[in-house]
């Protein structure tokens, strides 16, 4: 039990520094004069990983109510970052996917994130970085085994 309390203590500190230093880098972007917030970015990340997704899938993955999700989807469609792919069987049913512009945004954001995170973590030694990577890999593997999926 001691290890869990130590983990929680360390994790609490991590969350504080994450939301101060890392979250602003990855969760708030501007694209062609439009502001994208955290849930916009999460939708684009999910679509990058899975290719296409239904609004129901996104709603469950993001823990967002469908009404709020509809607003997010509409804004991403209006920015030409995602497109609706209507089902051939049911015209009321659709999936969402990244557009070419959406793929460009994701690639540019990934490059910007890499630069910003490199600058943020540049004081870390190689050994320290390896320890962080090992720790995250261990945690990822544990959580993937527990849930049976990565998304």
């Amino acid at each position: 039990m001691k290890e869990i309390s130590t983990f929680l203590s360390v994790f609490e500190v991590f969350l504080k520094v994450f939301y101060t230093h890392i979250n602003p880098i990855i969760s708030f972007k501007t694209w062609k004069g439009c502001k994208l917030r955290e849930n916009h970015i999460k939708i684009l990340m999910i679509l990058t990983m899975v290719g296409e997704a239904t609004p129901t899938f996104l709603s469950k993955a993001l823990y967002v109510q469908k009404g709020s999700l509809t607003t997010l989807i509409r804004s991403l469609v209006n920015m030409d970052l995602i497109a609706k792919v209507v089902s051939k069987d049911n015209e009321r049913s659709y999936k969402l996917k990244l557009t070419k512009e959406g793929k460009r945004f994701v690639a540019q954001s990934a490059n910007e994130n890499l630069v910003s995170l490199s600058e943020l973590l540049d004081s870390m030694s190689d050994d320290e970085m390896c320890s962080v990577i090992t720790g995250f890999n261990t945690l990822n593997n544990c959580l993937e085994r527990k849930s049976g999926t990565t998304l």
Side-chain angles (χ1 to χ4, degrees), residues 98-148:
L98 292 174
T99 61
K100 287 182 183 179
E101 193 73 4
K103 291 175 184 177
R104 241 188 316 275
F105 169 81
V106 169
Q108 180 178 318
S109 293
N111 288 333
E112 290 171 358
N113 292 349
L114 182 64
V115 169
S116 296
L117 290 170
S118 294
E119 291 170 358
L120 180 64
L121 302 175
D122 68 351
S123 65
M124 199 179 274
S125 73
D126 289 346
D127 286 345
E128 289 171 322
M129 181 58 79
C130 286
S131 293
V132 170
I133 291 168
T134 299
F136 273 113
N137 280 332
T138 301
L139 182 59
N140 290 341
N141 291 336
C142 173
L143 297 175
E144 287 171 3
R145 282 192 309 272
K146 188 88 169 165
S147 68

Side-chain angles (χ1 to χ4, degrees), residues 1-16 139:
M1 199 62 177
K2 183 178 181 182
E3 293 83 11
I4 292 297
S5 62
T6 302
F7 169 81
L8 289 174
S9 179
V10 170
F11 191 68
E12 182 179 328
V13 173
F14 170 75
L15 286 177
K16 289 176 185 175
L139 182 59

Side-chain angles (χ1 to χ4, degrees), residues 41-90:
I41 303 296
K42 288 178 182 177
I43 290 170
L44 298 173
M45 288 170 49
I46 290 170
L47 292 176
T48 298
M49 294 181 341
V50 301
E52 292 184 345
T54 64
T56 300
F57 177 85
L58 291 173
S59 176
K60 290 178 182 176
L62 296 171
Y63 301 100
V64 173
Q65 292 181 349
K66 285 191 178 185
S68 299
L69 183 65
T70 300
T71 303
L72 293 165
I73 290 169
R74 187 178 304 119
S75 64
L76 289 168
V77 168
N78 289 340
M79 287 184 249
D80 192 34
L81 296 175
I82 64 172
K84 293 181 180 182
V85 180
V86 179
S87 170
K88 295 174 186 170
D89 301 327
N90 179 356

